[in-house]
Amino acid sequence: MAKENMSAWSPKKYDVFISFRGEDVRHNFVSYLRSALRGANIKAYADDANLQKGDEVWPSLSQAIHDSHLAIVVFSKKYADSKWCLIELVEILHCRKTEGLKPALVLGDKVKDNDHVIQEWKAALSIGDKFIQEWKAALTEAANICGWDSRTRYHK
């Protein structure tokens, strides 16, 4: 989608917010994705490139999510191991309901299939944390949204 079209929606700072587990996909899938978005003149927010030293992490991430038209969530093998990824996912899905944020869900290149992701999430969510129920609900909701498999480019 061309940037002119996104900017016509409303005055938001970013066209796209990218949520990903850095150690899994930063140097492969996400780097290619950001390059393609830049080439299409689409302004994307990714924490490793846009989060400034000295910024408070969550307020900056939350603001970037709210200031985006679209959120691309790259589910990778260890996505659910990251508290920050899960917090971002909850906020993205909240903004989907309250602000019309459009999520695009992508299975990263190291994910075998949906069943593999579900097993990883169950293992990650077995830890005791006060946010577990919220994270489980967000992961369940995300699992029911049609997305893309980055290896095949087909809807899943």
Side-chain angles (χ1 to χ4, degrees), residues 73-87:
V73 180
V74 182
F75 290 113
S76 58
K77 187 174 180 179
K78 302 246 182 224
Y79 184 89
D81 288 352
S82 167
K83 178 177 94 168
W84 288 113
C85 288
L86 294 173
I87 291 170

Side-chain angles (χ1 to χ4, degrees), residues 15 18 31 38 43 47 70 101 121 141 156:
D15 297 314
I18 305 172
S31 65
R38 266 193 310 274
K43 189 171 184 182
D47 62 1
L70 175 75
L101 177 71
W121 289 349
E141 183 178 341
K156 286 278 188 179

Side-chain angles (χ1 to χ4, degrees), residues 124-137:
L125 293 175
S126 65
I127 59 169
D129 195 297
K130 66 180 183 174
F131 299 107
I132 294 293
Q133 293 306 316
E134 192 172 51
W135 294 344
K136 281 183 180 179

Side-chain angles (χ1 to χ4, degrees), residues 94-109:
H94 171 75
C95 289
R96 175 182 186 234
K97 292 175 185 166
T98 62
E99 299 176 19
L101 177 71
K102 304 292 185 204
L105 308 179
V106 178
L107 287 178
D109 58 352

Side-chain angles (χ1 to χ4, degrees), residues 17 58 61-68 88 91-92 95 101:
F17 178 91
W58 177 241
L61 292 174
S62 178
Q63 187 62 47
I65 292 167
H66 286 269
D67 279 347
S68 298
E88 287 174 9
E91 192 69 11
I92 287 165
C95 289
L101 177 71

Side-chain angles (χ1 to χ4, degrees), residues 10-27:
S10 68
K12 294 208 175 210
K13 189 172 181 179
Y14 303 102
D15 297 314
V16 177
F17 178 91
I18 305 172
S19 176
F20 63 97
R21 173 69 178 205
E23 69 185 53
D24 286 349
V25 293
R26 174 181 291 118
H27 299 296

